[in-house]
């Protein structure tokens, strides 16, 4: 329980940091506040991991449940914390979406190459210059795309999903895991 309380305190500290930026009296306009929030969330990106996203979902569900039990979900005097959590969740998702789009762009560049060799060479170059903190999320996006094709262990891939790209996507997944030993995948 002590570990759980410590983890929750860490997640609440991230939320508090975001709220401090939002409430900074030095911001004179909504645009300044929005820009400062965008910058702050971008700078906090390393802390916005799966655990933080899961905690936000948990905290929102808990707050919604607490308000529903008290019949106060629609009461602005009581649901402020719920709105704060939802606004933070929206901003975090937007920032994480930027990162995912960048990974998808990288993947699409690799998949455009004509030959297996060209695809692997470009992938290798991308991985070499990729910041360590981006490696694990990049691998996860590649794995998720490949997993969306079907049951690989049974050899049942839905070639209609991506047409002629299926084999290229499967090669990409193999190449990523070959080029990235497990210690580099988990180092970030």
């Amino acid at each position: 329980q002590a570990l759980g309380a410590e983890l929750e305190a860490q997640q609440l500290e991230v939320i508090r940091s975001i709220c401090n930026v939002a409430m900074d009296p030095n911001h004179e306009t909504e645009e300044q506040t929005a820009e400062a929030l965008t910058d702050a969330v971008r700078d906090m990106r390393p802390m916005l991991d799966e655990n933080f996203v899961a905690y936000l979902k948990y905290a929102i569900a808990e707050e919604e449940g607490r308000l529903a039990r008290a019949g106060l979900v629609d009461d602005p005097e009581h649901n402020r914390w719920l709105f704060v959590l939802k606004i933070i969740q929206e901003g975090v998702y937007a920032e994480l979406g930027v990162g995912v789009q960048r990974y998808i762009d990288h993947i699409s560049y690799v998949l455009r190459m004509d030959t297996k060799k060209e695809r692997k060479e470009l992938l290798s170059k991308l991985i070499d210059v990729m910041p360590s903190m981006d490696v694990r999320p990049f691998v996860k996006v590649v794995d998720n795309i490949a997993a969306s094709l079907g049951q690989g262990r049974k050899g049942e891939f839905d070639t209609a999903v991506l047409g002629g790209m299926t084999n290229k996507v499967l090669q990409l997944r193999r190449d990523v895991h070959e080029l990235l030993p497990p210690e580099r995948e988990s180092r970030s």
Side-chain angles (χ1 to χ4, degrees), residues 92-123:
V92 167
Y93 283 175
E95 179 57 32
L96 294 175
V98 169
V100 170
Q101 184 59 52
R102 191 173 60 249
Y103 306 141
I104 290 172
D105 290 345
H106 291 330
I107 291 166
S108 68
Y109 298 143
V110 170
L111 295 177
R112 286 183 199 155
M113 297 293 105
D114 292 327
T115 67
K116 288 181 181 184
K117 183 181 178 194
E118 290 172 339
R119 288 190 291 274
K120 191 169 185 175
E121 285 175 4
L122 179 57
L123 178 64

Side-chain angles (χ1 to χ4, degrees), residues 177-187:
H177 290 286
E178 181 182 312
L179 293 168
L180 283 170
E183 60 273 6
R184 175 117 194 259
E185 285 182 43
S186 62
R187 191 171 62 191

Side-chain angles (χ1 to χ4, degrees), residues 149 157-172:
L149 297 175
F157 292 105
D158 185 357
T159 56
V161 174
L162 294 174
M165 298 294 274
T166 300
N167 289 333
K168 289 180 180 182
V169 169
L170 296 174
Q171 179 208 349
L172 175 67

Side-chain angles (χ1 to χ4, degrees), residues 1-140:
Q1 283 184 342
L3 179 60
E6 183 179 326
L7 291 174
E8 183 170 22
Q10 289 173 353
Q11 307 303 4
L12 287 170
E13 183 61 28
V14 174
I15 292 169
R16 186 188 67 73
S17 296
I18 294 169
C19 290
N20 284 342
V21 173
M23 298 180 334
D24 187 337
N26 293 325
H27 307 305
E28 296 177 8
T29 65
E30 284 185 31
E31 290 80 19
Q32 288 177 338
T33 303
E35 187 175 324
L37 280 169
T38 299
D39 292 344
V41 170
R42 186 176 308 119
D43 292 343
M44 293 178 185
R45 197 163 158 258
M47 295 178 274
L48 308 178
D49 58 6
E50 292 174 2
N51 293 327
F52 183 73
V53 170
Y55 178 76
L56 273 177
K57 287 181 184 178
Y58 163 79
I60 289 169
E62 286 293 309
E63 187 65 10
E64 285 175 335
R66 185 185 71 76
L67 290 168
R69 287 188 297 277
L72 300 171
V73 173
D74 297 322
D75 185 344
E77 291 297 316
H78 293 90
N79 64 10
R80 288 183 183 147
W81 179 239
L82 177 61
F83 281 118
V84 166
L85 291 172
K86 286 185 173 187
I87 290 167
I88 289 172
Q89 182 183 48
E90 190 175 309
V92 167
Y93 283 175
E95 179 57 32
L96 294 175
V98 169
V100 170
Q101 184 59 52
R102 191 173 60 249
Y103 306 141
I104 290 172
D105 290 345
H106 291 330
I107 291 166
S108 68
Y109 298 143
V110 170
L111 295 177
R112 286 183 199 155
M113 297 293 105
D114 292 327
T115 67
K116 288 181 181 184
K117 183 181 178 194
E118 290 172 339
R119 288 190 291 274
K120 191 169 185 175
E121 285 175 4
L122 179 57
L123 178 64
S124 179
K125 288 178 182 180
L126 285 170
I127 288 172
D128 287 345
V129 298
M130 190 175 288
S132 292
M133 68 180 262
D134 286 347
V135 171
R136 190 168 46 191
F138 176 75
V139 171
K140 187 168 188 168

